[in-house]
Amino acid sequence: MARPGETIRLTLYWQALAPIETDYRVFAHVLGTENQVWTNSDILPATPTSQRQPGQTIEDIHDLVVGLTAPPDFYDIEIGIYEPDKSRLPVIAKDGSWLGKRILLSKIRVLSDE
């Protein structure tokens, strides 16, 4: 739970399965109805993706400040990866099926600021 103006700390853990040649960016969004973005974090991780070794786990921290005008509600958190100036990378399930270009995490609840 959070109130408008408060910070939600989102910690992600990534593990490379193979060598990566590109330095990707990571995004995290708090989404309202119709995918309206109420807050976002868009970063080049502290350890660039091209420097990660297969099997190495990397911690990636995003501080998401809830918008001052965010109404009380439940919001989705979405994350994804993209190459600068290009589109988002696809999300592939373990069975090889395509899941889209983002991952929806659990919901958060924003309370009124009163």
Side-chain angles (χ1 to χ4, degrees):
M1 291 187 290
R3 296 185 187 282
E6 291 183 346
T7 300
I8 300 165
R9 175 156 280 185
L10 176 65
T11 304
L12 304 172
Y13 296 91
W14 303 94
Q15 186 176 64
L17 301 177
I20 302 171
E21 295 180 10
T22 304
D23 286 327
Y24 294 108
R25 294 187 67 90
V26 178
F27 68 86
H29 299 150
V30 173
L31 302 175
T33 56
E34 299 181 21
N35 291 324
Q36 179 181 10
V37 176
W38 283 95
T39 186
N40 70 9
S41 170
D42 185 326
I43 64 170
L44 186 61
T47 302
T49 53
S50 65
Q51 295 177 15
R52 298 178 187 181
Q53 300 302 314
Q56 179 185 21
T57 300
I58 300 294
E59 181 180 78
D60 187 13
I61 297 174
H62 296 258
D63 287 328
L64 301 165
V65 179
V66 177
L68 293 174
T69 59
D73 204 348
F74 288 90
Y75 294 82
D76 287 315
I77 297 177
E78 78 168 343
I79 62 167
I81 300 175
Y82 68 97
E83 187 175 351
D85 300 323
K86 297 192 178 179
S87 66
R88 296 177 179 180
L89 272 63
V91 178
I92 310 293
K94 284 185 178 184
D95 67 3
S97 61
W98 189 76
L99 300 176
K101 293 192 175 189
R102 66 179 182 174
I103 297 172
L104 289 177
L105 302 178
S106 64
K107 292 184 179 289
I108 62 157
R109 182 177 180 194
V110 173
L111 304 171
S112 70
D113 60 355
E114 299 174 356

Coordinates of all heavy atoms in Angstrom, one line a residue, residues 64-100:
L64 N 9.6 3.9 -7.3 CA 8.5 4.4 -8.0 C 7.7 5.3 -7.1 O 7.2 4.9 -6.1 CB 7.6 3.2 -8.5 CG 8.2 2.2 -9.4 CD1 7.4 0.9 -9.4 CD2 8.4 2.8 -10.8
V65 N 7.7 6.6 -7.5 CA 6.9 7.6 -6.7 C 5.5 7.7 -7.2 O 5.3 8.0 -8.3 CB 7.6 9.0 -6.7 CG1 6.9 10.0 -5.9 CG2 9.1 8.9 -6.3
V66 N 4.6 7.4 -6.3 CA 3.2 7.4 -6.7 C 2.8 8.9 -7.0 O 3.1 9.8 -6.2 CB 2.3 6.9 -5.5 CG1 0.8 7.0 -5.9 CG2 2.7 5.4 -5.2
G67 N 2.1 9.1 -8.1 CA 1.7 10.4 -8.5 C 0.9 11.1 -7.5 O 0.0 10.5 -6.9
L68 N 1.0 12.4 -7.3 CA 0.3 13.2 -6.3 C -1.2 13.2 -6.6 O -2.0 13.4 -5.7 CB 0.8 14.6 -6.2 CG 2.2 14.7 -5.6 CD1 2.7 16.2 -5.7 CD2 2.3 14.2 -4.2
T69 N -1.6 13.0 -7.9 CA -3.0 13.0 -8.2 C -3.6 11.6 -8.5 O -4.7 11.5 -8.9 CB -3.2 13.9 -9.5 OG1 -2.4 13.3 -10.6 CG2 -2.8 15.3 -9.3
A70 N -2.8 10.6 -8.1 CA -3.3 9.2 -8.3 C -4.5 9.0 -7.4 O -4.4 9.1 -6.1 CB -2.2 8.2 -8.0
P71 N -5.6 8.6 -7.9 CA -6.8 8.4 -7.1 C -6.7 7.0 -6.4 O -6.0 6.1 -6.8 CB -8.0 8.3 -8.1 CG -7.3 8.0 -9.4 CD -5.9 8.5 -9.4
P72 N -7.3 6.9 -5.2 CA -7.3 5.6 -4.5 C -7.8 4.5 -5.4 O -8.9 4.6 -6.1 CB -8.3 5.8 -3.3 CG -8.4 7.3 -3.2 CD -8.2 7.9 -4.6
D73 N -7.1 3.4 -5.5 CA -7.5 2.3 -6.4 C -6.4 1.2 -6.3 O -5.4 1.4 -5.6 CB -7.6 2.8 -7.8 CG -8.5 1.9 -8.7 OD1 -8.9 0.8 -8.2 OD2 -8.9 2.3 -9.8
F74 N -6.6 0.1 -7.0 CA -5.6 -0.9 -7.2 C -5.0 -0.7 -8.5 O -5.6 -0.5 -9.5 CB -6.3 -2.3 -7.1 CG -6.7 -2.7 -5.7 CD1 -8.0 -2.3 -5.3 CD2 -5.8 -3.3 -4.8 CE1 -8.4 -2.7 -4.0 CE2 -6.2 -3.6 -3.5 CZ -7.5 -3.3 -3.1
Y75 N -3.6 -0.8 -8.6 CA -2.9 -0.5 -9.8 C -2.0 -1.7 -10.1 O -1.4 -2.4 -9.2 CB -2.0 0.7 -9.6 CG -2.8 2.0 -9.4 CD1 -3.3 2.3 -8.2 CD2 -3.0 2.8 -10.5 CE1 -4.0 3.5 -8.1 CE2 -3.7 4.0 -10.4 CZ -4.2 4.3 -9.2 OH -4.9 5.5 -9.0
D76 N -1.8 -2.0 -11.4 CA -0.8 -3.0 -11.8 C 0.6 -2.5 -11.9 O 0.8 -1.3 -12.1 CB -1.2 -3.5 -13.3 CG -2.4 -4.3 -13.3 OD1 -2.6 -5.2 -12.5 OD2 -3.2 -4.1 -14.2
I77 N 1.5 -3.3 -11.7 CA 2.9 -3.0 -11.9 C 3.4 -3.8 -13.1 O 3.2 -5.0 -13.1 CB 3.8 -3.3 -10.7 CG1 3.4 -2.4 -9.5 CG2 5.3 -3.0 -11.0 CD1 4.2 -2.7 -8.2
E78 N 3.9 -3.1 -14.1 CA 4.4 -3.8 -15.3 C 5.9 -3.5 -15.4 O 6.4 -2.5 -15.0 CB 3.7 -3.4 -16.6 CG 4.2 -2.1 -17.1 CD 3.7 -1.8 -18.6 OE1 3.3 -2.7 -19.3 OE2 3.7 -0.6 -18.9
I79 N 6.6 -4.5 -15.9 CA 8.1 -4.4 -16.1 C 8.4 -4.9 -17.5 O 7.6 -5.7 -18.1 CB 8.9 -5.1 -15.1 CG1 8.7 -6.6 -15.1 CG2 8.7 -4.5 -13.7 CD1 9.7 -7.5 -14.3
G80 N 9.5 -4.5 -18.0 CA 10.0 -5.0 -19.3 C 11.4 -4.5 -19.6 O 11.9 -3.7 -18.9
I81 N 11.9 -4.9 -20.8 CA 13.2 -4.6 -21.2 C 13.1 -4.1 -22.7 O 12.3 -4.7 -23.4 CB 14.1 -5.8 -21.1 CG1 14.2 -6.3 -19.7 CG2 15.5 -5.5 -21.6 CD1 15.0 -7.5 -19.5
Y82 N 13.9 -3.2 -23.0 CA 14.0 -2.7 -24.4 C 15.4 -2.2 -24.8 O 16.2 -1.9 -23.9 CB 12.9 -1.6 -24.7 CG 13.2 -0.3 -24.0 CD1 13.8 0.7 -24.7 CD2 12.8 -0.1 -22.7 CE1 14.1 1.9 -24.1 CE2 13.1 1.1 -22.0 CZ 13.7 2.1 -22.7 OH 14.0 3.3 -22.1
E83 N 15.6 -2.2 -26.0 CA 16.8 -1.6 -26.6 C 16.6 -0.2 -26.9 O 15.6 0.1 -27.6 CB 17.3 -2.4 -27.8 CG 18.6 -2.0 -28.3 CD 19.0 -2.9 -29.5 OE1 18.4 -3.9 -29.8 OE2 20.1 -2.5 -30.1
P84 N 17.4 0.8 -26.5 CA 17.2 2.2 -26.8 C 16.9 2.4 -28.3 O 17.5 1.8 -29.1 CB 18.5 2.9 -26.3 CG 19.0 2.0 -25.2 CD 18.6 0.6 -25.7
D85 N 15.9 3.2 -28.5 CA 15.5 3.6 -29.9 C 14.8 2.4 -30.6 O 14.7 2.5 -31.8 CB 16.6 4.2 -30.7 CG 17.2 5.4 -30.1 OD1 16.4 6.2 -29.5 OD2 18.4 5.6 -30.1
K86 N 14.5 1.4 -29.9 CA 13.8 0.2 -30.5 C 12.6 -0.2 -29.7 O 12.4 0.3 -28.6 CB 14.8 -0.9 -30.8 CG 15.9 -0.5 -31.8 CD 16.7 -1.7 -32.2 CE 17.7 -1.2 -33.2 NZ 18.6 -2.3 -33.7
S87 N 11.9 -1.2 -30.1 CA 10.8 -1.7 -29.3 C 11.2 -2.6 -28.2 O 12.3 -3.0 -28.0 CB 9.8 -2.4 -30.3 OG 10.4 -3.6 -30.7
R88 N 10.2 -2.9 -27.3 CA 10.4 -3.8 -26.2 C 10.7 -5.2 -26.7 O 10.3 -5.6 -27.7 CB 9.1 -3.8 -25.4 CG 8.7 -2.5 -24.7 CD 7.4 -2.7 -24.0 NE 7.0 -1.4 -23.4 CZ 5.9 -1.3 -22.7 NH1 5.0 -2.3 -22.5 NH2 5.6 -0.1 -22.1
L89 N 11.5 -5.9 -25.8 CA 11.8 -7.3 -26.1 C 10.6 -8.2 -25.8 O 9.8 -7.9 -24.8 CB 13.0 -7.7 -25.3 CG 14.4 -7.5 -25.9 CD1 14.6 -6.0 -26.1 CD2 15.4 -8.2 -25.1
P90 N 10.4 -9.2 -26.5 CA 9.3 -10.2 -26.2 C 9.6 -10.9 -24.9 O 10.7 -11.2 -24.6 CB 9.3 -11.1 -27.4 CG 10.6 -11.0 -28.0 CD 11.2 -9.7 -27.7
V91 N 8.5 -11.3 -24.3 CA 8.6 -12.2 -23.1 C 8.3 -13.6 -23.5 O 7.2 -13.8 -24.1 CB 7.7 -11.7 -22.0 CG1 7.7 -12.6 -20.7 CG2 8.0 -10.2 -21.6
I92 N 9.2 -14.5 -23.3 CA 9.0 -15.9 -23.7 C 8.9 -16.8 -22.5 O 9.7 -16.7 -21.6 CB 10.2 -16.4 -24.6 CG1 10.5 -15.4 -25.7 CG2 9.9 -17.8 -25.1 CD1 9.4 -15.2 -26.7
A93 N 7.9 -17.6 -22.4 CA 7.7 -18.6 -21.3 C 8.7 -19.7 -21.4 O 9.3 -19.9 -22.5 CB 6.2 -19.1 -21.3
K94 N 8.8 -20.5 -20.3 CA 9.7 -21.6 -20.3 C 9.4 -22.6 -21.4 O 10.3 -23.2 -22.0 CB 9.7 -22.3 -19.0 CG 10.5 -21.6 -17.9 CD 10.5 -22.4 -16.6 CE 11.3 -21.7 -15.6 NZ 11.4 -22.5 -14.4
D95 N 8.1 -22.7 -21.8 CA 7.7 -23.7 -22.8 C 7.9 -23.1 -24.2 O 7.6 -23.7 -25.2 CB 6.3 -24.1 -22.6 CG 5.3 -23.0 -22.8 OD1 5.6 -21.9 -23.2 OD2 4.1 -23.3 -22.6
G96 N 8.4 -21.9 -24.3 CA 8.7 -21.3 -25.6 C 7.5 -20.4 -26.2 O 7.7 -19.8 -27.2
S97 N 6.4 -20.4 -25.5 CA 5.3 -19.6 -26.0 C 5.5 -18.1 -25.7 O 6.2 -17.7 -24.8 CB 4.0 -20.0 -25.3 OG 4.0 -19.9 -23.9
W98 N 5.0 -17.3 -26.6 CA 5.2 -15.8 -26.6 C 4.1 -15.2 -25.6 O 2.9 -15.5 -25.8 CB 5.0 -15.3 -28.0 CG 5.4 -13.8 -28.1 CD1 6.6 -13.3 -28.1 CD2 4.5 -12.7 -28.2 NE1 6.6 -11.9 -28.3 CE2 5.2 -11.5 -28.3 CE3 3.1 -12.6 -28.3 CZ2 4.7 -10.3 -28.5 CZ3 2.5 -11.4 -28.4 CH2 3.3 -10.2 -28.5
L99 N 4.5 -14.4 -24.7 CA 3.6 -13.8 -23.7 C 3.4 -12.4 -23.8 O 2.6 -11.8 -23.1 CB 4.2 -14.1 -22.2 CG 4.4 -15.6 -21.9 CD1 5.1 -15.6 -20.5 CD2 3.1 -16.3 -21.9
G100 N 3.9 -11.7 -24.8 CA 3.8 -10.3 -25.0 C 5.1 -9.6 -24.9 O 6.2 -10.2 -25.0

